Amino acid sequence: MKNLILKSYQKLGLKLREILFSFSCLRRNKNNKYKFNLSEQKNVYILTTKHCLYIASLIENGLKEKSIKSEIIFQRPKNGFGEGLHFVVCPQMFSFLPKHYVAYQLEQSVSSRWFTKNYLKRLDYAYRVFDYSLENIEYLKDKGISEEKLCFMPISYNAGYADFIGKENEAYDVLFYGDSSNARRQRFLSELSRDFDVHIISNMFGEELYKELSKAKIIVNIHYYDGALLETTRLYECLSLNKFVISETSSDIHNYKELEPCIEFVGINDIQAMKDKLKFWLNNPSLRYNRINENKDYLNNNFNNLFKHNFSQFLKDIL
């Protein structure tokens, strides 16, 4: 009964967001020819859900490198957004959006259920649409989103992000964070729990989450779908926090060769291979710590940071 009531509230909230956005479209247009002077704009907001704080931080750092001040927020400002350009991570999650906004699209096109008519409308009215996946961009083109608006903005390493948290003692052998309610992930986690102490975290965000991640010896990444795209947000978030990660490979792994030196990949659905890697790396802590240090050296000195490059180019184009 509790779950039924929760689902009813969620549906009601979604419908309310759709109605409010439809009304707000009366004052919008789809013109993406504007030029914005973000350096002189009074406020540049990065509106995000708490679980996407990492991505908001990437945007904030990208703006800071161009001496543009910004503020990460989780809801509409008390006095509104104003007329300038702002950034919205996961725009489908908010009832009120700025008049001019760059939308960061993070859903996976392998599941079309997320791309509702209303969500596509939010993307269509955006000044620009960032997407982390080339596969998603092709999908959005097919759905009628203007190619001119679409910007390939892959998630990348965030140098210095580990300063966000202090060093915690390693209390958990294996940690998974994210939605663990679907059957696929439950099956995976149940099997891993037969041989390892697995700590599962859901609905925890920001500094509280990062303190828990800091306690993990190894973090595992398990897909929600069989044909899922690689969860690069989670992987780069963990690498930026100096964590050791074992992950399933993905249908689009060919796009992420740069991650191969940093992540221990196993085949899709290969639970035994993940168990074998967990056993090896848990039993060899000195090798694990060496690998983490090698990751830091590679990511800070030899890594082609596509987010930084593409975001800098985006700012150059619009300013």
Side-chain angles (χ1 to χ4, degrees):
M1 179 60 113
K2 185 178 179 181
N3 288 337
L4 184 62
I5 294 172
L6 180 60
K7 286 181 179 179
S8 296
Y9 273 114
Q10 289 172 338
K11 287 182 180 179
L12 183 62
L14 178 61
K15 192 64 179 175
L16 180 60
R17 287 198 292 272
E18 290 178 355
I19 293 170
L20 289 171
F21 183 73
S22 294
F23 274 116
S24 74
C25 287
L26 296 174
R27 67 181 183 90
R28 302 175 188 274
N29 61 58
K30 299 178 185 179
N31 186 350
N32 59 347
K33 301 296 185 182
Y34 290 106
K35 292 290 183 179
F36 294 94
N37 190 339
L38 296 182
S39 299
E40 295 184 5
Q41 190 171 308
K42 185 178 179 181
N43 296 300
V44 178
Y45 293 115
I46 305 166
L47 178 64
T48 183
T49 59
K50 290 184 177 180
H51 75 280
C52 290
L53 178 62
Y54 178 75
I55 296 171
S57 178
L58 283 175
I59 297 171
E60 182 183 43
N61 288 345
L63 292 169
K64 190 182 296 182
E65 288 194 0
K66 301 299 181 181
S67 300
I68 299 171
K69 295 180 180 179
S70 62
E71 180 183 353
I72 295 173
I73 59 174
F74 303 106
Q75 59 186 5
R76 183 177 66 165
K78 187 176 181 181
N79 295 320
F81 293 99
E83 290 293 312
L85 181 67
H86 305 283
F87 298 83
V88 183
V89 185
C90 296
Q92 74 277 23
M93 301 304 295
F94 299 99
S95 300
F96 299 98
L97 296 176
K99 182 177 180 180
H100 305 291
Y101 61 94
V102 175
Y104 213 134
Q105 197 298 116
L106 294 170
E107 300 296 352
Q108 294 199 19
S109 57
V110 295
S111 177
S112 60
R113 70 190 180 103
W114 302 112
F115 293 89
T116 64
K117 183 178 179 180
N118 185 264
Y119 181 37
L120 291 169
K121 188 175 183 180
R122 287 169 182 251
L123 299 181
D124 197 29
Y125 272 89
Y127 176 72
R128 294 287 190 277
V129 178
F130 290 175
D131 201 301
Y132 68 98
S133 164
L134 291 170
E135 282 77 3
N136 282 349
I137 286 177
E138 290 304 314
Y139 177 86
L140 291 173
K141 287 180 190 176
D142 290 341
K143 289 294 183 180
I145 305 300
S146 167
E147 183 174 357
E148 190 178 10
K149 284 189 176 186
L150 293 166
C151 303
F152 178 47
M153 203 64 62
I155 311 300
S156 274
Y157 178 67
N158 194 347
Y161 200 62
D163 297 340
F164 200 93
I165 57 171
K167 178 66 178 175
E168 301 284 339
N169 292 327
E170 292 181 333
Y172 315 128
D173 285 346
V174 183
L175 185 145
F176 171 84
Y177 70 105
D179 183 357
S180 60
S181 63
N182 81 315
R184 188 182 190 280
R185 282 178 170 170
Q186 284 184 350
R187 174 174 60 84
F188 234 102
L189 292 168
S190 177
E191 285 296 320
L192 294 182
S193 297
R194 292 176 183 270
D195 298 327
F196 306 98
D197 176 24
V198 180
H199 187 65
I200 299 171
I201 296 177
S202 298
N203 296 317
M204 188 182 291
F205 314 102
E207 187 173 357
E208 184 182 11
L209 169 64
Y210 295 154
K211 283 184 178 179
E212 288 298 292
L213 298 187
S214 181
K215 298 176 186 177
K217 295 176 183 176
I218 298 176
I219 295 173
V220 292
N221 180 52
I222 301 165
H223 300 320
Y224 195 92
Y225 313 100
D226 276 330
L229 305 178
L230 194 64
E231 295 85 351
T232 51
T233 302
R234 181 179 289 116
L235 297 184
Y236 276 116
E237 184 173 47
C238 290
L239 289 174
S240 298
L241 293 169
N242 300 328
K243 301 310 301 179
F244 190 97
V245 184
I246 298 177
S247 171
E248 287 185 277
T249 188
S250 65
S251 59
D252 63 338
I253 192 66
H254 56 278
N255 292 326
Y256 302 106
K257 297 294 184 183
E258 75 279 2
L259 277 172
E260 289 181 358
C262 306
I263 305 290
E264 284 291 304
F265 285 108
V266 301
I268 297 171
N269 279 318
D270 197 341
I271 299 175
Q272 187 57 51
M274 185 170 282
K275 284 185 175 184
D276 292 342
K277 284 189 179 288
L278 281 168
K279 184 177 180 181
F280 174 82
W281 289 104
L282 286 171
N283 288 337
N284 293 278
S286 60
L287 291 179
R288 192 171 72 248
Y289 297 141
N290 286 341
R291 177 67 172 276
I292 290 171
N293 287 328
E294 288 171 2
N295 286 349
K296 286 192 287 185
D297 182 64
Y298 165 72
L299 291 164
N300 281 299
N301 299 305
N302 303 303
F303 176 68
N304 181 22
N305 194 315
L306 280 179
F307 177 90
K308 185 180 291 188
H309 175 271
N310 290 12
F311 189 77
S312 178
Q313 186 60 51
F314 159 76
L315 291 176
K316 182 180 177 181
D317 290 343
I318 72 162
L319 294 177

